[in-house]
PDB file of all heavy atoms in Angstrom:
ATOM      1  N   SER A 165     142.158  75.961 -18.564  1.00 98.00           N
ATOM      2  CA  SER A 165     142.550  76.644 -19.801  1.00 98.00           C
ATOM      3  C   SER A 165     141.544  76.281 -20.893  1.00 98.00           C
ATOM      4  O   SER A 165     140.922  75.214 -20.854  1.00 98.00           O
ATOM      5  CB  SER A 165     143.969  76.208 -20.191  1.00 98.00           C
ATOM      6  OG  SER A 165     143.994  75.726 -21.519  1.00 98.00           O
ATOM      7  N   PHE A 167     142.113  75.347 -23.756  1.00 98.00           N
ATOM      8  CA  PHE A 167     142.645  74.304 -24.637  1.00 98.00           C
ATOM      9  C   PHE A 167     142.575  72.920 -24.005  1.00 98.00           C
ATOM     10  O   PHE A 167     142.989  71.935 -24.606  1.00 98.00           O
ATOM     11  CB  PHE A 167     144.111  74.621 -24.993  1.00 98.00           C
ATOM     12  CG  PHE A 167     144.304  76.011 -25.540  1.00 98.00           C
ATOM     13  CD1 PHE A 167     145.015  76.973 -24.837  1.00 98.00           C
ATOM     14  CD2 PHE A 167     143.745  76.369 -26.767  1.00 98.00           C
ATOM     15  CE1 PHE A 167     145.191  78.258 -25.337  1.00 98.00           C
ATOM     16  CE2 PHE A 167     143.913  77.665 -27.281  1.00 98.00           C
ATOM     17  CZ  PHE A 167     144.632  78.614 -26.565  1.00 98.00           C
ATOM     18  N   GLU A 168     142.056  72.848 -22.783  1.00 98.00           N
ATOM     19  CA  GLU A 168     142.036  71.559 -22.087  1.00 98.00           C
ATOM     20  C   GLU A 168     140.854  70.687 -22.516  1.00 98.00           C
ATOM     21  O   GLU A 168     139.826  71.184 -22.979  1.00 98.00           O
ATOM     22  CB  GLU A 168     141.960  71.782 -20.576  1.00 98.00           C
ATOM     23  CG  GLU A 168     143.295  72.159 -19.983  1.00 98.00           C
ATOM     24  CD  GLU A 168     143.225  72.260 -18.478  1.00 98.00           C
ATOM     25  OE1 GLU A 168     142.571  73.182 -17.980  1.00 98.00           O
ATOM     26  OE2 GLU A 168     143.840  71.415 -17.806  1.00 98.00           O
ATOM     27  N   SER A 169     141.003  69.403 -22.258  1.00 98.00           N
ATOM     28  CA  SER A 169     139.912  68.461 -22.515  1.00 98.00           C
ATOM     29  C   SER A 169     138.818  68.641 -21.468  1.00 98.00           C
ATOM     30  O   SER A 169     139.074  69.148 -20.360  1.00 98.00           O
ATOM     31  CB  SER A 169     140.444  67.033 -22.422  1.00 98.00           C
ATOM     32  OG  SER A 169     140.890  66.800 -21.104  1.00 98.00           O
ATOM     33  N   LEU A 170     137.616  68.190 -21.797  1.00 98.00           N
ATOM     34  CA  LEU A 170     136.507  68.250 -20.841  1.00 98.00           C
ATOM     35  C   LEU A 170     136.852  67.491 -19.560  1.00 98.00           C
ATOM     36  O   LEU A 170     136.532  67.940 -18.462  1.00 98.00           O
ATOM     37  CB  LEU A 170     135.233  67.677 -21.488  1.00 98.00           C
ATOM     38  CG  LEU A 170     133.993  67.637 -20.590  1.00 98.00           C
ATOM     39  CD1 LEU A 170     133.609  69.021 -20.087  1.00 98.00           C
ATOM     40  CD2 LEU A 170     132.824  67.002 -21.354  1.00 98.00           C
ATOM     41  N   SER A 171     137.525  66.356 -19.688  1.00 98.00           N
ATOM     42  CA  SER A 171     137.810  65.588 -18.467  1.00 98.00           C
ATOM     43  C   SER A 171     138.817  66.321 -17.588  1.00 98.00           C
ATOM     44  O   SER A 171     138.705  66.296 -16.358  1.00 98.00           O
ATOM     45  CB  SER A 171     138.254  64.157 -18.792  1.00 98.00           C
ATOM     46  OG  SER A 171     139.457  64.176 -19.482  1.00 98.00           O
ATOM     47  N   ASN A 172     139.781  67.018 -18.192  1.00 98.00           N
ATOM     48  CA  ASN A 172     140.717  67.801 -17.373  1.00 98.00           C
ATOM     49  C   ASN A 172     140.011  68.971 -16.681  1.00 98.00           C
ATOM     50  O   ASN A 172     140.280  69.271 -15.529  1.00 98.00           O
ATOM     51  CB  ASN A 172     141.868  68.342 -18.233  1.00 98.00           C
ATOM     52  CG  ASN A 172     142.911  67.274 -18.548  1.00 98.00           C
ATOM     53  OD1 ASN A 172     142.600  66.097 -18.573  1.00 98.00           O
ATOM     54  ND2 ASN A 172     144.131  67.699 -18.795  1.00 98.00           N
ATOM     55  N   ILE A 173     139.136  69.633 -17.410  1.00 98.00           N
ATOM     56  CA  ILE A 173     138.422  70.773 -16.817  1.00 98.00           C
ATOM     57  C   ILE A 173     137.504  70.284 -15.696  1.00 98.00           C
ATOM     58  O   ILE A 173     137.434  70.881 -14.625  1.00 98.00           O
ATOM     59  CB  ILE A 173     137.634  71.542 -17.906  1.00 98.00           C
ATOM     60  CG1 ILE A 173     138.621  72.216 -18.865  1.00 98.00           C
ATOM     61  CG2 ILE A 173     136.699  72.572 -17.282  1.00 98.00           C
ATOM     62  CD1 ILE A 173     137.967  72.889 -20.063  1.00 98.00           C
ATOM     63  N   LYS A 176     139.502  69.840 -12.663  1.00 98.00           N
ATOM     64  CA  LYS A 176     139.855  71.092 -11.978  1.00 98.00           C
ATOM     65  C   LYS A 176     138.668  71.652 -11.181  1.00 98.00           C
ATOM     66  O   LYS A 176     138.852  72.225 -10.111  1.00 98.00           O
ATOM     67  CB  LYS A 176     140.389  72.123 -12.977  1.00 98.00           C
ATOM     68  CG  LYS A 176     141.788  71.767 -13.451  1.00 98.00           C
ATOM     69  CD  LYS A 176     142.415  72.830 -14.343  1.00 98.00           C
ATOM     70  CE  LYS A 176     143.878  72.431 -14.638  1.00 98.00           C
ATOM     71  NZ  LYS A 176     144.550  73.432 -15.495  1.00 98.00           N
ATOM     72  N   GLN A 269     137.210  76.280 -27.388  1.00 98.00           N
ATOM     73  CA  GLN A 269     137.192  74.813 -27.428  1.00 98.00           C
ATOM     74  C   GLN A 269     136.528  74.260 -26.165  1.00 98.00           C
ATOM     75  O   GLN A 269     135.696  73.339 -26.231  1.00 98.00           O
ATOM     76  CB  GLN A 269     138.637  74.318 -27.526  1.00 98.00           C
ATOM     77  CG  GLN A 269     138.780  72.804 -27.572  1.00 98.00           C
ATOM     78  CD  GLN A 269     140.237  72.388 -27.468  1.00 98.00           C
ATOM     79  OE1 GLN A 269     141.120  73.058 -27.995  1.00 98.00           O
ATOM     80  NE2 GLN A 269     140.485  71.280 -26.792  1.00 98.00           N
ATOM     81  N   GLU A 273     133.181  71.807 -26.147  1.00 98.00           N
ATOM     82  CA  GLU A 273     133.354  70.454 -25.598  1.00 98.00           C
ATOM     83  C   GLU A 273     132.185  70.020 -24.707  1.00 98.00           C
ATOM     84  O   GLU A 273     131.883  68.825 -24.622  1.00 98.00           O
ATOM     85  CB  GLU A 273     134.638  70.395 -24.752  1.00 98.00           C
ATOM     86  CG  GLU A 273     135.907  70.278 -25.582  1.00 98.00           C
ATOM     87  CD  GLU A 273     137.177  70.457 -24.745  1.00 98.00           C
ATOM     88  OE1 GLU A 273     137.090  70.873 -23.566  1.00 98.00           O
ATOM     89  OE2 GLU A 273     138.257  70.175 -25.290  1.00 98.00           O
TER      90      GLU A 273
HETATM   91  C1  LIG B   5     145.126  66.742 -19.122  1.00 92.46           C
HETATM   92  O1  LIG B   5     145.870  66.609 -17.922  1.00 92.46           O
HETATM   93  C2  LIG B   5     146.974  65.721 -18.061  1.00 92.46           C
HETATM   94  C3  LIG B   5     147.558  65.523 -16.673  1.00 92.46           C
HETATM   95  O2  LIG B   5     147.782  66.751 -16.049  1.00 92.46           O
HETATM   96  C4  LIG B   5     147.962  66.321 -19.062  1.00 92.46           C
HETATM   97  O3  LIG B   5     149.083  65.471 -19.197  1.00 92.46           O
HETATM   98  C5  LIG B   5     147.264  66.503 -20.401  1.00 92.46           C
HETATM   99  O4  LIG B   5     148.142  67.154 -21.295  1.00 92.46           O
HETATM  100  C6  LIG B   5     145.992  67.314 -20.241  1.00 92.46           C
HETATM  101  N1  LIG B   5     145.251  67.277 -21.505  1.00 92.46           N
HETATM  102  C7  LIG B   5     144.786  68.352 -22.082  1.00 92.46           C
HETATM  103  C8  LIG B   5     144.093  68.175 -23.387  1.00 92.46           C
HETATM  104  O5  LIG B   5     144.883  69.460 -21.607  1.00 92.46           O
END
Side-chain angles (χ1 to χ4, degrees):
S165 126
F167 307 113
E168 282 185 291
S169 63
L170 178 59
S171 64
N172 282 27
I173 293 174
K176 287 186 174 180
Q269 180 188 324
E273 281 170 349

